[in-house]
Amino acid sequence: MNTSKPFFEIYTFDQVENNQQFNNPVPHAHDLIEIIWAVSGNCSLKVDMQTYSPKCDQVFGIMPHQLHQFTADFNAQGYIIRFNELFLQEYNSVYHADLLLVLMQSANVSYSEEIRNEMKTIMDKLIQEFSQQQLYSSDILSRYLNILFIHMSRQSHAAPSTNQQTHNNRQAKRFIQLVDQHFKAHKKVSEFADIMCVTPSYLNEAIKKTTGYTAGHHIRQRVILEAKRHAAYSDNSMKEVAWDLGFTDICYFSKLFKKETGYNFSEFKKRQEKVLAV
């Protein structure tokens, strides 16, 4: 699978029953966002050493690089959607802060029967469009996915929460939006904390409690996502990309890119050229 270009796939449990890439008895991680919805039957999901038994009114969002393990009985029914952030960036003009929060908190939300029926209809439409792969399929898939997220977001906002959870959610949403707007100018948690009029330690704690990741992680991922897009879709050199993203230390940018992607910039760019040439 190539996750350095826009990527999306959706399957029913039946379609991946014997595929260990999905129904995997061994904990693993990847750089995709994964949505698992068990409609019926028994299944087990472990995420970062926490074990869940998904019910028909729960949808689980697994974020990139989270260690997870999913198994389902032969009679279990449900859906698995996987996509990367480049898919969201390519077919949506805004970095969805709301979406990320909904996915990260989806295991704690119970869906009403009405919303479950709406979501199942959308899932079936996604399955049909993905299986056909016709002209503009990616655009249609993105639109259906957006509708699915809207239903999830509505139910998430309707779910009761403590005052502290609500406050952390607001802080996390604002932080992610600010990162998307200012990641070229600001790279430090302290800089975003100053904008939000909070301390860096408080911001890190609020973001980690809400999303499972530190504030610094979100900043780095947003920067690297943009760097990948430059590498894949432009002729810019590493130095030009680094300058465009606000780095004055080219060596630091090179080390950061290698650490986050596993490739140095030129290797990554060559891999993308081969992919796009196919």
Side-chain angles (χ1 to χ4, degrees), residues 46-52 65-69 212-213:
K46 293 182 180 179
V47 181
D48 289 338
M49 296 176 289
Q50 293 192 48
T51 302
Y52 306 92
H65 310 299
Q66 278 193 306
L67 194 65
H68 62 281
Q69 173 186 352
Y213 296 99

Side-chain angles (χ1 to χ4, degrees), residues 30-247:
H30 45 61
D31 56 354
L32 297 169
I33 297 170
E34 187 166 326
I35 299 173
I36 297 177
W37 181 21
V39 177
S40 63
N42 297 318
C43 56
S44 174
L45 175 66
K46 293 182 180 179
V47 181
D48 289 338
M49 296 176 289
Q50 293 192 48
T51 302
Y52 306 92
S53 297
K55 300 177 182 179
C56 63
D57 63 345
Q58 289 181 317
V59 178
F60 282 76
I62 302 168
M63 303 310 292
H65 310 299
Q66 278 193 306
L67 194 65
H68 62 281
Q69 173 186 352
F70 176 72
T71 56
D73 290 351
F74 72 94
N75 62 341
Q77 299 295 314
Y79 303 88
I80 297 177
I81 302 177
R82 304 202 303 182
F83 54 92
N84 61 4
E85 293 192 32
L86 279 173
F87 179 82
L88 296 180
Q89 289 285 342
E90 185 75 12
Y91 297 102
N92 298 273
S93 59
V94 180
Y95 192 70
H96 291 286
D98 235 355
L99 158 63
L100 292 180
L101 294 183
V102 167
L103 287 178
M104 292 165 183
Q105 300 167 340
S106 56
N108 300 318
V109 177
S110 293
Y111 293 89
S112 67
E113 183 177 357
E114 180 182 0
I115 288 185
R116 286 203 305 271
N117 290 336
E118 292 286 346
M119 289 170 59
K120 188 176 185 306
T121 299
I122 296 166
M123 290 288 197
D124 291 338
K125 289 181 180 295
L126 282 165
I127 287 279
Q128 181 181 6
E129 188 62 39
F130 177 70
S131 64
Q132 293 175 346
Q133 289 294 315
Q134 298 184 24
L135 185 64
Y136 303 123
S137 277
S138 293
D139 298 272
I140 294 174
L141 289 169
S142 175
R143 282 160 173 75
Y144 282 140
L145 195 60
N146 277 335
I147 296 171
L148 178 67
F149 293 149
I150 288 170
H151 284 299
M152 293 172 64
S153 181
R154 284 176 176 173
Q155 192 73 15
S156 176
H157 285 114
S161 59
T162 66
N163 290 336
Q164 186 61 46
Q165 286 174 328
T166 301
H167 180 69
N168 286 345
N169 288 350
R170 285 199 300 264
Q171 292 285 60
K173 181 179 178 181
R174 187 182 176 210
F175 169 74
I176 293 172
Q177 290 172 332
L178 286 171
V179 169
D180 193 52
Q181 295 168 4
H182 303 294
F183 68 92
K184 291 185 179 182
H186 302 305
K187 304 291 189 295
K188 298 179 180 179
V189 175
S190 60
E191 293 174 317
F192 287 99
D194 287 342
I195 296 173
M196 298 175 67
C197 300
V198 297
T199 66
S201 59
Y202 172 84
L203 180 60
N204 254 323
E205 183 180 1
I207 300 306
K208 190 164 186 177
K209 282 183 177 179
T210 306
T211 70
Y213 296 99
T214 64
H217 171 86
H218 288 285
I219 297 170
R220 290 190 298 274
Q221 290 304 304
R222 185 64 185 91
V223 170
I224 294 302
L225 175 62
E226 198 70 15
K228 285 181 177 180
R229 296 185 74 189
H230 276 283
Y233 301 115
S234 80
D235 295 325
N236 295 340
S237 66
M238 185 187 74
K239 183 177 180 179
E240 290 172 322
V241 172
W243 277 101
D244 182 72
L245 296 180
F247 289 89

